Amino acid sequence: MQSMVKSAKTEAALLQTPSGFTQDAINALAGSMTALLADFFALYVKTKNFHWHMSGAHFRDYHRLLDDHGSQIFAVTDPLAERLRKLGGTTIRSIGHISRLQRVLDNDAHFVTPLDMIAELREDNTALAGRLRQTHGLCDDHGDIASASLLETWIDEAEARAWFLYEVTRHAEVAGG
Ligand SMILES: [Fe+2]
């Protein structure tokens, strides 16, 4: 048992980065941002799922919008993961690791109506923006200005996605869209 503890410590040391942050700060920031990274991966797959399985009269618009959103979400994953390594933390290792941490819920339904797809993604992006703002507060607490700056861009993008998803269906229920 003692050798296992020792070996875990040795392994952690192999990936340490001299970032200047305390271990407590690194643990807090890495925990919060790794959970966000899991959310970004889960939301990316769900957005592509709905892009691939879109149907109906607005197929072209919705299919293309979700493709744009998927690309924007995926583009966050590498800078977010690498920010954690710069701090001295570690991050996502596998699909299984993502599934254990994600707060964005999967939707494996065989058929989802276009309006339900758009509404679900709007709620997911709004919730994600809220969690990003929470982590921004944590970055402020620990003086992690660079992560806060990156998060500001990603908050704006998540809020923009929620806005677009709201606008494209604003009158849809009335119009039968
Ligand atoms: Fe595509």
Side-chain angles (χ1 to χ4, degrees):
M1 191 63 172
Q2 205 170 10
S3 66
M4 277 177 68
V5 171
K6 192 179 171 192
S7 120
K9 275 187 183 169
T10 310
E11 282 182 17
L14 289 172
L15 287 171
Q16 267 175 1
T17 309
S19 66
F21 287 89
T22 65
Q23 195 58 50
D24 281 351
I26 292 167
N27 291 344
L29 292 164
S32 185
M33 286 198 274
T34 296
L36 283 176
L37 183 57
D39 283 339
F40 273 101
F41 276 120
L43 185 57
Y44 168 70
V45 173
K46 187 193 269 191
T47 301
K48 294 300 280 196
N49 166 20
F50 289 172
H51 163 77
W52 294 322
H53 298 102
M54 185 55 71
S55 62
H58 298 286
F59 173 82
R60 186 180 170 87
D61 281 349
Y62 294 167
H63 177 74
R64 286 185 165 187
L65 178 66
L66 298 192
D67 208 23
D68 291 346
H69 285 186
S71 299
Q72 190 177 62
I73 293 163
F74 187 71
V76 172
T77 57
D78 196 53
L80 178 51
E82 291 186 0
R83 181 67 206 147
L84 287 168
R85 294 293 298 123
K86 290 171 199 170
L87 287 169
T90 58
T91 189
I92 295 292
R93 309 277 188 174
S94 64
I95 298 284
H97 195 177
I98 291 167
S99 73
R100 290 191 294 278
L101 296 180
Q102 71 184 76
R103 280 97 27 119
V104 174
L105 299 179
D106 294 337
N107 186 336
D108 292 321
H110 178 73
F111 179 79
V112 182
T113 68
L115 288 182
D116 284 348
M117 285 180 175
I118 299 293
E120 189 169 329
L121 290 176
R122 177 169 48 76
E123 286 165 17
D124 285 338
N125 278 287
T126 301
L128 178 65
R131 290 194 292 271
L132 287 162
R133 287 194 293 269
Q134 279 180 353
T135 303
H136 188 281
L138 191 67
C139 294
D140 286 343
D141 293 344
H142 292 287
D144 182 4
I145 295 161
S147 294
S149 174
L150 288 167
L151 286 166
E152 283 165 17
T153 300
W154 299 331
I155 291 164
D156 180 59
E157 289 178 353
E159 290 171 347
R161 288 192 299 273
W163 172 42
F164 269 63
L165 291 162
Y166 173 70
E167 282 297 342
V168 294
T169 54
R170 184 197 278 266
H171 301 297
E173 277 157 63
V174 179

